[in-house]
Amino acid sequence: MTTATRQFNIGNSTLRSALFMLMFLGSAVMNAIFGQTDLSNRDTTFSNISKSPIYQLRIYDVPKENSDPFHDRFRVHAIRIMKSYGFNIANIWIRESEDKHEFVYLLEWEDQKTMKNAWDGFMADQEWADIKLRTSRIHGTFVNSIKDRTLIPTDYSEAGLVVINFEVTDTAALFAENVVSTRHNQRDFILSPAGDELFYVVSHPWGFSTILHSKKINSLWTRPEVASFSGLYSDFEPTFSLDGNSVYFSSNRPNENQTKDGITQIWLTNREGTTWTEPGKINLPAVHNTHIF
């Protein structure tokens, strides 16, 4: 990103009017298409940008006298119906004691929204409701109690971390293929002064762009995720301050002079512990409805 603003002064009034009309129409079309695009729905935007999964631990206290019919029901029916709603069962265990039979399984989810939607669908499934009713009438109680734990990786966990190689090669090669370099359009890559944090931009084929973030943990890197301050509007051209505690970027998000998104301005976010603050617009001596980047 350049430090100077780029404003185009066109002498010919007719040409200037035509260009402004094109800019207006282009902005209107882009806003109609994108508006406030929510990147939390990764299935419809950047589908192969992955993040560290979350896990759900489920512990069932099963009456010992019903352990066999419980396992039969789970094996034959529950797993099949769960998978139809997107459940990913990572593993299943049992724990036996003198007075207790515990059934334990671990689920892997993309995010908490996916987990909630899957459980809502499964618990409302009529076939599963009929199976539980029928088997309970025959065998009685299947589960005394359930313990549920949602496990979210810490930012220093090495689970799900990836290798990003910064070594210089003799020939040109894709950088961090399938991690940073994917089937989407990547641009505006920046590395923090300390070399332990990076941002870059991924552009949608139709023009919408967002800033992604990755952080170094020991010798590995977190999988790139949408930056905490990006994702709702078109953001691009990030750059670090010299001390690495601020990031400047261009964005078409609304501001006090522009209540609707569409005009590109320069914004600033500051490091606050391990997170980044809500961005604020840099007030430059320029016309409010002029694109600045």
Side-chain angles (χ1 to χ4, degrees), residues 39 71-72 96 107 113 115 118-119 121 141-142 150 189 196 218 244 257 293:
L39 289 187
H71 286 288
D72 289 340
E96 293 277 8
L107 299 168
K113 180 180 178 181
M115 179 177 70
W119 274 110
T141 301
F142 272 62
T150 300
F189 180 94
D196 60 355
N218 297 324
N257 300 311
F293 50 93

Side-chain angles (χ1 to χ4, degrees), residues 30 33-34 185 203-208:
M30 293 300 287
I33 293 173
F34 298 111
N185 300 314
S203 299
H204 192 282
W206 288 351
F208 185 86

Side-chain angles (χ1 to χ4, degrees), residues 11 25 32 34 58 61 70 84 112 124 130-131 167 170 172 184 241 249 261 281:
L25 291 174
F34 298 111
R58 304 271 292 179
D61 178 4
F70 172 88
S84 72
Q112 295 196 57
D130 293 342
I131 290 170
E167 292 183 3
D170 294 332
H184 302 293
S241 60
F249 63 97
D261 57 302
K281 186 174 73 71

Side-chain angles (χ1 to χ4, degrees), residues 22-242:
L22 287 173
M23 289 172 62
F24 172 79
L25 291 174
S27 176
V29 170
M30 293 300 287
N31 288 334
I33 293 173
F34 298 111
Q36 295 186 17
T37 303
D38 186 356
L39 289 187
S40 64
N41 185 358
R42 289 171 171 78
D43 291 338
T44 58
T45 50
F46 307 126
S47 58
N48 71 337
I49 296 173
S50 60
K51 62 185 296 184
S52 298
I54 63 174
Y55 293 92
Q56 184 181 17
L57 185 67
R58 304 271 292 179
I59 304 173
Y60 292 20
D61 178 4
V62 179
K64 299 196 75 169
E65 64 274 13
N66 276 341
S67 61
D68 288 341
F70 172 88
H71 286 288
D72 289 340
R73 188 175 75 176
F74 198 90
R75 181 188 304 108
V76 176
H77 301 293
I79 291 177
R80 170 179 55 83
I81 299 173
M82 283 177 164
K83 286 183 177 180
S84 72
Y85 289 99
F87 281 66
N88 180 16
I89 302 176
N91 214 332
I92 302 174
W93 303 269
I94 61 170
R95 178 179 176 272
E96 293 277 8
S97 63
E98 289 185 4
D99 59 346
K100 187 176 292 188
H101 179 92
E102 287 186 330
F103 174 77
V104 183
Y105 63 103
L106 186 68
L107 299 168
E108 181 179 320
W109 302 102
E110 179 184 353
D111 51 43
Q112 295 196 57
K113 180 180 178 181
T114 302
M115 179 177 70
K116 181 182 183 304
N117 291 341
W119 274 110
D120 287 348
F122 176 68
M123 297 307 294
D125 187 272
Q126 189 58 52
E127 181 188 6
W128 178 237
D130 293 342
I131 290 170
K132 287 196 297 181
L133 180 61
R134 184 175 66 251
T135 54
S136 295
R137 284 175 176 173
I138 298 172
H139 301 285
T141 301
F142 272 62
V143 179
N144 292 324
S145 63
I146 298 176
K147 295 179 182 178
D148 185 287
R149 302 287 185 269
T150 300
L151 310 175
I152 301 173
T154 62
D155 61 1
Y156 52 86
S157 170
E158 294 192 0
L161 298 185
V162 295
V163 174
I164 296 181
N165 188 0
F166 287 87
E167 292 183 3
V168 178
T169 58
D170 294 332
T171 58
L174 283 177
F175 175 74
E177 189 172 4
N178 297 323
V179 176
V180 174
S181 299
T182 67
R183 63 183 179 86
H184 302 293
N185 300 314
Q186 291 85 35
R187 52 175 283 191
D188 306 339
F189 180 94
I190 60 169
L191 186 66
S192 67
D196 60 355
E197 204 162 4
L198 62 85
F199 291 96
Y200 65 97
V201 170
V202 172
S203 299
H204 192 282
W206 288 351
F208 185 86
S209 59
T210 192
I211 298 173
L212 270 68
H213 171 251
S214 177
K215 189 174 181 179
K216 189 176 183 180
I217 299 174
N218 297 324
S219 60
L220 300 175
W221 291 80
T222 60
R223 282 196 173 274
E225 300 179 8
V226 175
S228 60
F229 55 83
S230 187
L232 289 179
Y233 303 95
S234 193
D235 304 323
F236 54 98
E237 294 186 349
T239 187
F240 273 105
S241 60
L242 291 177

